[in-house]
Amino acid sequence: MEGVARDRTCEYISGRAVTLEIVKKLNGHSGCQVDLCRDGANYFIRKSSGSASYGPRLMRQVEKQQRLRKIIPVPQVVRCYFDKNPISYDMEFIQGLDFRQACLSKPMSWINVFVECMCTHFKALEGAAVKADLQSAFKSKLVSLQDVLYAHQAGKVRALIPVLEALLAYDFSRLPATASHGDLTLENIIFKGDGDVVFIDVLDGDLESFWMDIAKITYDLEIAWSLRSSLWQSDHSPDDRLLRMLSRYLSEELGMVIAQKFPEAVPHLPALKAIQALRVLPYSHNEQTIDKLASYVAKLPIPV
């Protein structure tokens, strides 16, 4: 792998002194720094807490990632540094393609393979029941969003208050409490050469249901969230136009197969997709992003 080391440190790894190279700083989210590192010929990913206050959340993410590895493909956790400040952990580096690269380099038939692959992993999550009071967890999350909507300066966002009130009255106890990824966007999927995928950036939280994962990836495709840097722009290259066509086809195919294999989830998806979009609003400061999210939620068929 090519790359210029941006930093070098001497560390003890597994009882031996090594020169650790930070090959590339990746895009960290949710208060974390993510680095591609190298110990000699061995590449790995290091995820570090951005602050002391975020440390407990990072520890919960590590624990969740270790549990999920027994259910769906996620990177293996290889080392934890919970006694350091900031805390961090190392995980295996997965080589593969991102969604854009997969779309532009693979034959169109790979989409059908991907849909079946996703449904296989959804089925695995469905079989991993957990104990959770989902009604209380969802209400707590929605109450925290209520203040954000009331205080927001954008009229389109405040107009979503009736939607939020409808969600507060929703019966989330009908959802299955299961293991879940927590942030299942296309950005968090690595496409391997053998046709399988690996899920990265596991997110902790209390809304533990694989239906939320289904809602997240369908919302992602419908709003082009993971492709916003290209598909939300006014000028599109030929690659962008192909990407738009293929992502729409994937959205239709995934929706059809989910309706066949998980029919109980379908009536709840509008409410769950609305929650997934609303959760992003507190972190959105770009006018275009706020407008896209608000317009998307307003069009979802949620009884108010």
Side-chain angles (χ1 to χ4, degrees), residues 6 54 72 76 85 158 196 201 225 249 262 264 300:
R6 298 189 178 185
Y54 196 84
I72 59 174
Q76 182 179 3
N85 186 21
R158 292 197 302 276
D196 205 352
D201 285 347
W225 176 258
Y249 174 59
F262 307 101
E264 300 87 355
L300 290 169

Side-chain angles (χ1 to χ4, degrees), residues 3-15:
V4 177
R6 298 189 178 185
D7 194 11
R8 292 189 179 191
T9 59
C10 183
E11 291 191 5
Y12 281 90
I13 296 180
S14 300

Side-chain angles (χ1 to χ4, degrees), residues 8 77-78 91 101 150 169 240 247 252 257 263 281 287 296 299 304:
R8 292 189 179 191
V77 175
V78 293
M91 69 188 99
Q101 292 168 331
Y150 276 113
D240 290 339
S247 62
E252 293 172 1
V257 176
L281 271 174
E287 184 176 344
Y296 176 78
K299 292 176 183 176
V304 295

Side-chain angles (χ1 to χ4, degrees), residues 52-115:
S53 61
Y54 196 84
R57 281 201 65 183
L58 188 63
M59 292 175 70
R60 290 195 295 271
Q61 290 168 19
V62 173
E63 293 166 359
K64 181 174 181 177
Q65 186 168 327
Q66 291 172 320
R67 292 195 305 270
L68 276 181
R69 186 167 169 79
K70 301 175 182 178
I71 306 167
I72 59 174
V74 298
Q76 182 179 3
V77 175
V78 293
R79 287 176 294 272
C80 297
Y81 305 97
F82 292 164
D83 57 341
K84 293 186 177 182
N85 186 21
I87 71 167
S88 63
Y89 73 102
D90 297 341
M91 69 188 99
E92 66 175 320
F93 169 58
I94 306 295
Q95 288 189 296
L97 305 176
D98 62 23
F99 180 69
R100 182 186 182 92
Q101 292 168 331
C103 277
L104 299 179
S105 64
K106 292 177 177 288
M108 193 169 178
S109 59
W110 83 270
I111 288 180
N112 302 93
V113 175
F114 173 56
V115 168

Side-chain angles (χ1 to χ4, degrees), residues 117-137:
C117 176
M118 290 300 298
C119 287
T120 297
H121 296 315
F122 284 143
K123 183 64 69 173
L125 290 169
E126 182 182 35
V130 299
K131 291 183 179 180
D133 181 356
L134 291 181
Q135 185 66 22
S136 296

